[in-house]
Amino acid sequence: MKKLMVTVMGVVLAGTAVTAMAGKSDKEHLSQCTANIEAVFGEETSTKLKGIKRGRSGNTLKIKTIPAGGEGQTIKCWVDKEGSVTLLDSEGVAITNSSYNTADKVSLNN
């Protein structure tokens, strides 16, 4: 019985350590994504984290974005293992700068 309790406690502690490490990188990724979103849409942009999908090659954060005086949209922020950030709109088109124009977008989905 004592062996079982020690094993259970070990598993619980290991799980807690992994969750704590994931939480730290999630905060860093969110701040990177928010900084890039503000660079594209302006500093008055409101953001709210909607979800995180973790993968071996990087994480995808879904962020609700509302620019000042603009229409809200959901942005996917891909952060790879090296820390590079890529912003994508809801159709998978990369967002690169503040002159982003939806009229001339190209998508691999169509």
Side-chain angles (χ1 to χ4, degrees), residues 18-44:
V18 169
T19 304
M21 288 188 321
K24 182 178 179 186
S25 66
D26 289 346
K27 288 180 183 179
E28 291 171 4
H29 292 163
L30 180 59
S31 66
Q32 288 175 320
C33 291
T34 302
N36 282 336
I37 288 171
E38 288 175 354
V40 171
F41 295 104
E43 290 185 18
E44 299 297 318

Side-chain angles (χ1 to χ4, degrees), residues 90-108:
S90 60
E91 295 180 11
V93 177
I95 302 171
T96 55
N97 60 28
S98 60
S99 63
Y100 176 68
N101 184 354
T102 59
D104 297 328
K105 62 184 172 182
V106 177
S107 175
L108 297 176

